[in-house]
Amino acid sequence: MNPNRRVKDILPHRDPFLFIDRVLEIRPGRGAVAEKDVTAGEAFFAGHFPGHPVMPGVLVVEAIAQCGALAVLSAPEHAGRVPLFAGIESARFRRPIRPGETLRLEAEIVKIRGDFGKGRGIARVGR
């Protein structure tokens, strides 16, 4: 699959809750790599936190989940479905994400069984 295919053609998410700006790689049903440009104009920065903008950790986790959804929904048997986030086993945040940074999102699909899938992902700034 062409990784330049429009994100909105694959994901059902829309602004202000779409956290993927670019798709770098898609392996249908197996994994994806994408990027999110974190800009000062993001709506969440107005309240998190005034004078000290930090991207909320839950939104970083959501961005990783959307990257995983790209991989799952790009597989023909799952295309057009609405992915729902069912749980998280662990998460660590090493430092705050600030305006002007680009998040590199990587997701690997570990297994899919019926309507549920399990994945592993990471978000980092830089390569």
Side-chain angles (χ1 to χ4, degrees):
M1 166 174 285
N2 179 352
N4 295 316
R5 182 175 159 197
R6 287 177 33 91
V7 173
K8 291 180 180 180
D9 290 344
I10 302 171
L11 292 179
H13 305 76
R14 295 295 180 264
D15 290 330
F17 217 74
L18 178 61
F19 299 114
I20 303 284
D21 291 322
R22 275 175 307 288
V23 179
L24 305 178
E25 177 185 337
I26 294 180
R27 296 177 321 281
R30 295 185 4 239
V33 179
E35 290 181 332
K36 162 73 177 142
D37 294 323
V38 182
T39 66
E42 307 281 354
F44 51 81
F45 284 137
H48 200 266
F49 299 98
H52 187 74
V54 175
M55 184 174 184
V58 296
L59 296 184
V60 175
V61 171
E62 174 63 22
I64 297 167
Q66 288 181 19
C67 186
L70 279 170
V72 172
L73 298 178
S74 64
E77 64 271 22
H78 299 294
R81 298 183 77 180
V82 176
L84 300 175
F85 190 70
I88 186 170
E89 289 183 13
S90 66
R92 282 192 296 260
F93 302 95
R94 303 207 189 271
R95 70 169 189 79
I97 306 301
R98 302 193 186 282
E101 297 183 315
T102 297
L103 279 177
R104 180 182 172 92
L105 308 161
E106 300 175 15
E108 173 191 356
I109 306 307
V110 176
K111 70 179 173 181
I112 296 177
R113 181 173 290 149
D115 288 343
F116 291 91
K118 183 175 183 175
R120 190 175 298 131
I122 189 167
R124 68 182 90 211
V125 174
R127 303 273 174 211

